[in-house]
Amino acid sequence: MAGELKVYDRFFIGGEWKAPAGTGTVEVINPSTEEPAGRAPEATEADMDRAVEAARRAFDEGPWPHLAPAERALVLTKVSEAIQAEMAEMAALITTEMGAPVSWGTMGQVLAPTMIFNYYADMAGTYAFDEVRAGLMGPVLVTNEPVGVVAAIAPWNVPLFIAAAKLAPALVAGCTVVFKPAPETPLDALRLAELFEGAGLPKGVLSVVPAGRQVGEYLVRHPKVDKVSFTGSTVAGKKIGAICGEQLKRFSLELGGKSAAIVLDDADLDEALPMLLGNAIMNNGEACIAQTRILAPRDRYQEVVDALSERMSAMKVGDPLDPATEVGPLVAERQRERVEGYIKIGQEEGAKVALGGGRPAGIDRGWFVEPTLFVDVDNSMRIAQEEIFGPVLVVIPYEGDDQAVAVANDSSYGLCGSVWTADPDRGLEVARKVRTGTYMLNSPIPIDFATPFGGYKESGLGREFGPEGLELFLEQKSITLPAGYTPKL
Ligand code: NAD
């Protein structure tokens, strides 16, 4: 894979590989070599029009929305098998696009999406799309129908995972989809389109059109789009929410985070820290759920800092394609500038760098930043409030469980978090008080795909995964029935 240029010159529009309307291209640069990794066309508004028209026709004229859910699910199962058959190649492709170490990426970037496809394929056979209720005045058929044409927009950090989180439930629901991947990661998205084509997805049901922000916004505003499913930054999410609000278009948002890991005073650090760090620096720290604020009891503060420093300094930084690597490069030069900017801001704010803070020695190319640990951090500092999106952690002292909860909640975000303790009852009490959509109690698993995932506050609106994730793509219709009539379901 390394050194091989992956080039697409067409979009997947309505099930066919179409030449772009414009001449723009997206150049994918391998973040660990700074060399070209591939190229894809960049969509214009005219390309989006074609994709939306195809999706509209396939929805309005069918047959896709009217097939049995189990029939639609067959395609997902085939796509999942096809991804599994090229697991290593897909992991390497995503790594060359955005730098995730394959040691984590094979599971997090590739196996996890196949689990999501399989989960929703199974749900097609179990979810009650139709239910006859005994209403107050007679029988009523409550039926769940597909919401219509979906615009699915994804970021670059876990590209295939987000594609699966949106496409799997949308397609099982019977929607048709225009998928806009981020310009940093068009290659895995177009490969996914090939796999959908190979799995026999009917024409028109899916389009994959890489594009930038402006054309993405054109897609959001498009009058023939019924629903927007967005994952990305809070800034973009607010803009998209405002547009959809004006149009009364359905929308769901999965946005940023600044999650707190609370180490209680009875925690066993040897047990907790490997799990905690696995989530804090997951995906090079470019994860919405990363636990980047570590709250330590004041009387164990130094012990927690020392234990974190010891483990973080042992992390292997380097070529993300090397299975021994734990931390790879950031996605782009501008992302490294952003992360280094925050390291500078932290120092100006009075926090101290206990570990890292620079570029790793001995690596002369690639957008690497050392795993970095800030101490003497107050939760009001920008490095404790803003999403850095890199391998930068802050350790904040607290006194007593109530203060730990208050500090965890003193954030505009509310996506994830964790608590580490010898006493699960005490941990559960803390977990219930923290205002986030997902939480981990002595657990290394941040998201279980059978359960709802999403954000409180500025971390989002709506829940992906579980049946709730399917319901994001359904409209409910109530049909009152004549007394004595029992519909065939
Ligand atoms: P981003 O918001 O800049 O871009 C995300 C996607 O939206 C890209 O495809 C981009 O082209 C598009 N986009 C941006 N502005 C748009 C607009 N106004 N209209 C339509 N499309 C627009 O985010 P990013 O830098 O690519 O990704 C990182 C962010 O994503 C982080 O904040 C991270 O926390 C968040 N994220 C959240 C989750 C979650 O599930 N909550 C998961 C992964 C990433």
Side-chain angles (χ1 to χ4, degrees), residues 51-312:
V52 174
E53 287 296 344
R56 190 75 259 167
R57 255 193 324 278
F59 188 81
D60 292 344
E61 295 167 20
W64 182 253
H66 309 293
L67 296 179
E71 234 177 296
R72 292 193 290 259
L74 288 177
V75 177
L76 299 189
T77 308
K78 284 191 192 155
V79 166
S80 170
E81 286 165 3
I83 297 171
Q84 282 175 52
E86 55 180 70
M87 186 95 77
E89 293 84 349
M90 188 62 102
L93 176 63
I94 294 173
T95 291
T96 51
E97 287 179 297
M98 52 65 65
V102 290
S103 59
W104 177 82
T106 305
M107 212 298 278
Q109 300 276 16
V110 189
L111 182 67
T114 67
M115 292 167 72
I116 298 167
F117 281 121
N118 290 340
Y119 173 75
Y120 281 107
D122 288 348
M123 189 177 289
T126 57
Y127 188 81
F129 286 88
D130 285 338
E131 178 203 347
V132 177
R133 284 196 205 166
L136 293 180
M137 290 166 278
V140 181
L141 171 63
V142 179
T143 183
N144 287 276
E145 299 185 339
V147 69
V149 172
V150 171
I153 300 178
W156 47 262
N157 67 326
V158 272
L160 188 65
F161 179 95
I162 306 283
K166 299 185 182 318
L167 299 187
L171 294 176
V172 163
C175 296
T176 56
V177 184
V178 177
F179 176 46
K180 189 203 89 61
E184 293 82 355
T185 49
L187 307 176
D188 68 279
L190 290 165
R191 178 65 193 141
L192 180 65
E194 289 172 342
L195 300 182
F196 266 105
E197 186 183 29
L201 186 73
K203 288 201 188 318
V205 174
L206 174 66
S207 293
V208 178
V209 266
R213 181 163 298 198
Q214 210 178 329
V215 174
E217 200 168 305
Y218 179 80
L219 172 64
V220 168
R221 278 187 203 280
H222 203 294
K224 293 187 177 175
V225 166
D226 297 300
K227 146 104 195 176
V228 177
S229 172
F230 175 77
T231 299
S233 61
T234 293
V235 170
K238 285 182 179 175
K239 185 88 193 281
I240 287 166
I243 296 168
C244 293
E246 240 169 60
Q247 299 181 334
L248 282 186
K249 194 172 265 178
R250 280 83 184 114
F251 67 100
S252 44
L253 305 171
E254 293 288 346
L255 309 176
K258 188 77 186 178
S259 298
I262 301 177
V263 179
L264 291 185
D265 56 15
D266 62 357
D268 177 338
L269 298 187
D270 286 340
E271 231 172 74
L273 290 195
M275 293 190 269
L276 190 163
L277 273 178
N279 281 288
I281 302 197
M282 167 200 287
N283 208 27
N284 309 331
E286 294 166 320
C288 54
I289 49 176
Q291 324 270 302
T292 49
R293 286 187 297 152
I294 296 167
L295 312 194
R298 195 174 289 281
D299 54 9
R300 292 186 72 189
Y301 188 78
Q302 197 54 46
E303 187 192 343
V304 171
V305 168
D306 291 345
L308 282 168
S309 299
E310 192 188 323
R311 284 173 191 279
M312 286 170 70

Side-chain angles (χ1 to χ4, degrees), residues 42 361 422 444:
E42 184 175 3

